[in-house]
Amino acid sequence: MEFTDRVLKCIDCGAEFVFTAGEQLFFHDKQFKNDPKHCKQCKAKRASGASRVRPETRTTCSQCGAETTVPFKPTQGRPVLCRTCFQQRKPEQAPAPAAEPIPEPSPEPESMPEQN
Ligand SMILES: [Zn+2]
Ligand SMILES: [Zn+2]
């Protein structure tokens, strides 16, 4: 079986690209049934997009100054804490519920309000 270079059209950007004989041979070897649909540029773009990792922003901890990464985009002017400082700070921000005074049950919960 012989292969000759073929010109295909990219379905993304419409650019024409060459499906070379060598590539066709490769596709034939791999038993790929479909022709390539994207030009090299779009293929590279798609590949880089697919392998994109979750957003991580490099920043410095506003408390200890250590370099850290956060899984979000820090808002300008808002303090960013590293993992250590964040965990140290947590108990302060959320007081233990035991510190709250427990309301005493009223002595006569069933009593009706008196009428004058
Ligand atoms: Zn393209
Ligand atoms: Zn820190």
Side-chain angles (χ1 to χ4, degrees):
M1 193 148 181
E2 262 183 50
F3 296 101
T4 48
D5 289 6
R6 285 165 57 200
V7 175
L8 300 176
K9 211 166 200 179
C10 172
I11 61 160
D12 260 19
C13 66
E16 290 187 336
F17 64 99
V18 179
F19 188 27
T20 65
E23 285 167 340
Q24 289 175 58
L25 186 65
F26 176 80
F27 267 54
H28 182 74
D29 275 358
K30 297 281 177 192
Q31 301 199 317
F32 292 158
K33 294 276 186 288
N34 299 317
D35 289 347
K37 291 183 173 63
H38 301 99
C39 67
K40 292 239 158 56
Q41 282 90 345
C42 288
K43 212 190 272 180
K45 225 185 284 175
R46 289 167 75 91
S48 68
S51 66
R52 197 193 301 157
V53 290
R54 65 208 165 94
E56 278 212 333
T57 312
R58 266 192 176 276
T59 185
T60 47
C61 173
S62 48
Q63 193 161 301
C64 71
E67 197 165 277
T68 184
T69 52
V70 288
F72 56 88
K73 219 170 159 49
T75 316
Q76 277 279 320
R78 292 191 76 188
V80 178
L81 297 179
C82 68
R83 197 178 293 262
T84 315
C85 290
F86 183 74
Q87 281 173 355
Q88 280 171 357
R89 196 188 170 113
K90 235 179 183 173
E92 283 177 48
Q93 286 183 329
E100 296 276 322
I102 297 157
E104 281 180 46
S106 72
E108 292 166 276
E110 298 296 321
S111 68
M112 297 288 284
E114 281 184 40
Q115 286 179 11
N116 290 325

